[in-house]
Amino acid sequence: MRTRSPAALLGILLPLLALNALLSFDNDWPSLWVRFGARVSVELAAIVLALSLWLGRRRTVAPAVLSALAIVIALWSVLRYVDVTVPAVFGRPVNAYWDGRHLWQLLRMASGDSPWWRLTGGAVVMALLSTPLFLVVRWMLGALVRALARPGARAPSMLASAGVCIAFAASPFVGVDRHAFFARPVAVTIAEQTVKLHAALSPTRSESRLAPSPSFDGDLAALNGVDVLIIFAEAYGAASLDRPEIAGALAPYRDALAQSLRISGRRAVSARVRSPTFGGASWLAHAALLSGIDTRDPDDYDLLLTTRRPTLVSHFARHGYRTVAWMPGLQRPWPEGSFYGFERYGNADSIGYIGRAFGYWRIPDQASLALLQEQELAPIAQGRTPRFVVFPTVTTHAPFRPVPPYLQDWSRLLQAEAYPAEAVEQALAQPASWVQPTPAYLDAMRYQFDWLAAYVGEHAPADALIIVIGDHQPIAGVSGQDASWDVPVHLLSRDAALLARFEARGFAPGLTPRATAIGAMHELTPMLLAAFDRSPPRASEQTDEPSARPLAP
């Protein structure tokens, strides 16, 4: 019987272990680094099996074939890094088609004020780093092939790799958790992305794939002609309530908002809804609420924009409201916006901000709201047209810095030199971090509560209905692993009768919603439509609804 030397054994084990590590690592949450475990790559087992069979017949593998295989493995290693890192950081899986379209904007946002040449240089460095990876993989493949060329090593390797492939295929049928023993194959990710790409580009997509729209046949009589302001609070997620360290840090600021509501004679009712997105892609949440259509699948969002479906925008316009999209985060043309049909689109260049730029998003939320108040919501004349305004905020967008200083004097926000130079320098000096983002998130959220409390207490139209709703949870580095997709929604108003209609639908009094979501975000839309309609209330509402009069301070 032929014995195998320790050197021969190491000659096959070392390249196998190294290649397996490249195809089976996981993210070392909450960092951007990787960690290596004991799971097996079935793709590597398939490669070893194929090489063993080939060498049994041909005795050698052409260098060009090994180089091509090394390119594939190196590329798959990079794809695996993306596949395990992006969900860990953002809390949602990758969609190559949709995320790829916004990759450049994401890089610009992540880099802050870095010039274009620095971004380009970073891309060049990354490309150069791929060469050593290829060379290492190519060397390990060569060592593996030399080891498998020995008959004494080839047969056991063939049996072991075949056994791994069979075990992987059979594990679901014998009740074994495949994930505990095997790494997720990169080929599966590639196949899934290919299917998504085909679906996104398919010319045969039909509107019939979308769910029916809710009924927009009712009126808005229950609003009594008041302004309606929907504030999509960027990255305002259930983590701000569920994670004790975040909830505790924000508690005084939430209390200050509650105090401002009391002083202004307003009251709040709150609930949770499930956002169609997590950590980003805010437009999916905007579309879900405004249309009442489930937009969890970005392809459905894309398809929705090609239709003439009714929305809250068209509904309010049909009932005499001036509709305004106040979108300071929009820094480029937005042809998709024609779907909604707002009467006015206010983007970063047209809302009139002349002050200092803060980071990628440039315009602080407090300044955006001050401009909105001056241009659209101020009581210019008795009996002016009521407004329906949608305002997506930006300052609390990841990476959550720089955070502008809050200004007590809102009139200064309309000036070019609004902010004290020392405060600006201090804000811009605070570093952003994708690895430890929670401190910056807390700063940004405190800022958001500050301007919101001041607005409802001192500046908002007296009878306006203000809807504050999170668009999605913050990135996973803040929300935590396996966090829900829930976001808070608050309705702020002086109209007790109107708020009672929402309490009858599951909203809780105050700024703290119940722990269970009342539904998906798109399911909130028919609730709004029903509550705004002056139709006879349901039986559950008839006994609890107070008279339609403002609440006392």
Side-chain angles (χ1 to χ4, degrees):
M1 179 177 178
R2 180 182 298 177
T3 59
R4 289 182 287 275
S5 68
L9 189 60
L10 286 175
I12 192 169
L13 284 180
L14 288 179
L16 280 176
L17 291 174
L19 290 170
N20 187 78
L22 286 176
L23 295 174
S24 64
F25 60 80
D26 283 310
N27 173 259
D28 187 17
W29 193 88
S31 72
L32 299 177
W33 299 104
V34 301
R35 59 178 174 83
F36 301 100
R39 290 187 295 172
V40 177
S41 167
V42 69
E43 292 163 314
L44 179 60
I47 290 172
V48 172
L49 179 59
L51 288 174
S52 299
L53 291 172
W54 180 271
L55 289 168
R57 296 172 59 88
R58 300 296 181 92
R59 306 296 181 185
T60 186
V61 178
V65 173
L66 282 183
S67 295
L69 189 56
I71 292 174
V72 170
I73 293 177
L75 177 60
W76 282 14
S77 179
V78 173
L79 292 177
R80 178 160 186 84
Y81 179 79
V82 174
D83 194 34
V84 301
T85 303
V86 171
V89 173
F90 290 98
R92 60 181 177 87
V94 179
N95 186 312
Y97 174 72
W98 283 96
D99 293 334
R101 295 171 63 180
H102 303 280
L103 179 60
W104 179 245
Q105 296 296 327
L106 177 62
L107 292 174
R108 285 183 57 205
M109 178 188 66
S111 64
D113 295 325
S114 298
W116 68 269
W117 56 264
R118 186 171 297 175
L119 293 177
T120 304
V124 171
V125 170
M126 293 297 293
L128 293 176
L129 289 177
S130 64
T131 300
L133 176 62
F134 162 76
L135 293 175
V136 170
V137 173
R138 176 63 175 81
W139 180 84
M140 289 187 292
L141 280 175
L144 180 61
V145 166
R146 288 190 295 273
L148 291 175
R150 303 184 183 96
R154 187 165 58 248
S157 300
M158 188 184 306
L159 290 175
S161 56
V164 168
C165 294
I166 293 172
F168 178 84
S171 56
F173 303 101
V174 295
V176 175
D177 181 11
R178 177 184 287 174
H179 180 77
F181 300 97
F182 300 100
R184 172 181 164 88
V186 180
V188 172
T189 300
I190 295 174
E192 290 176 351
Q193 297 299 328
T194 301
V195 171
K196 291 178 180 179
L197 180 63
H198 178 269
L201 300 177
S202 174
T204 61
R205 289 184 304 165
S206 170
E207 182 181 346
S208 61
R209 122 174 203 169
L210 299 176
S213 295
S215 173
F216 286 85
D217 294 335
D219 58 35
L220 300 174
L223 290 174
N224 296 310
V226 302
D227 296 325
V228 176
L229 170 59
I230 298 180
I231 299 177
F232 278 104
E234 170 65 35
Y236 179 37
S240 64
L241 300 164
D242 296 341
R243 298 200 66 180
E245 65 275 24
I246 297 178
L250 296 180
Y253 297 84
R254 200 181 300 272
D255 292 343
L257 173 58
Q259 177 68 10
S260 290
L261 290 170
R262 287 191 291 270
I263 292 174
S264 67
R266 291 180 172 86
R267 193 175 133 231
V269 295
S270 303
R272 298 185 190 214
V273 293
R274 289 188 307 278
S275 173
T277 183
F278 190 110
S282 306
W283 53 87
L284 300 180
H286 305 164
L289 182 65
L290 295 178
S291 69
I293 298 294
D294 187 356
T295 55
R296 284 175 297 176
D297 187 339
D299 294 335
D300 289 343
Y301 167 81
D302 190 33
L303 181 59
L304 174 65
L305 298 189
T306 67
T307 71
R308 299 180 63 85
R309 294 291 186 97
T311 66
L312 289 176
V313 181
S314 61
H315 186 60
F316 273 82
R318 186 160 53 90
H319 288 88
Y321 275 71
R322 172 175 165 83
T323 59
V324 178
W326 202 251
M327 308 185 75
L330 202 58
Q331 301 182 19
R332 56 187 174 83
W334 189 43
E336 302 96 325
S338 61
F339 163 75
Y340 296 106
F342 284 97
E343 188 173 342
R344 179 184 178 185
Y345 287 97
N347 62 16
D349 295 327
S350 66
I351 67 172
Y353 181 69
I354 57 176
R356 175 65 183 266
F358 283 86
Y360 174 80
W361 298 106
R362 294 171 44 195
I363 306 175
D365 289 337
Q366 185 192 9
S368 295
L369 193 55
L371 290 164
L372 172 64
Q373 178 67 23
E374 182 199 41
Q375 297 176 29
E376 294 288 348
L377 296 175
I380 299 172
Q382 187 71 21
R384 70 156 169 79
T385 303
R387 267 44 171 182
F388 174 76
V389 181
V390 176
F391 169 37
T393 68
V394 296
T395 303
T396 49
H397 199 294
F400 315 119
R401 279 180 177 158
V403 178
Y406 172 75
L407 294 185
Q408 296 288 346
D409 184 358
W410 282 54
S411 64
R412 290 183 57 187
L413 295 162
L414 309 179
Q415 303 171 13
E417 301 297 331
Y419 298 96
E422 182 178 352
V424 170
E425 292 177 5
Q426 183 177 358
L428 296 179
Q430 295 296 317
S433 173
W434 291 92
V435 177
Q436 295 180 326
T438 301
Y441 177 75
L442 289 174
D443 287 345
M445 287 299 300
R446 293 183 185 109
Y447 170 79
Q448 179 169 275
F449 274 110
D450 279 343
W451 63 252
L452 183 58
Y455 183 69
V456 300
E458 304 170 23
H459 304 284
D463 296 324
L465 170 64
I466 302 173
I467 302 174
V468 181
I469 182 169
D471 54 2
H472 52 69
Q473 286 265 49
I475 57 177
V478 175
S479 297
Q481 289 182 303
D482 302 319
S484 75
W485 288 36
D486 292 354
V487 296
V489 53
H490 311 293
L491 276 69
L492 317 177
S493 175
R494 290 182 174 183
D495 191 334
L498 179 64
L499 295 183
R501 289 179 167 230
F502 288 96
E503 290 185 60
R505 290 170 169 84
F507 281 69
L511 293 172
T512 304
R514 298 184 177 93
T516 303
I518 59 175
M521 187 175 291
H522 70 277
E523 295 173 322
L524 177 59
T525 311
M527 293 186 190
L528 295 174
L529 293 169
F532 296 161
D533 189 1
R534 186 76 84 175
S535 59
R538 298 178 303 176
S540 62
E541 298 176 11
Q542 289 177 349
T543 57
D544 296 329
E545 184 172 312
S547 60
R549 58 181 176 82
L551 294 170

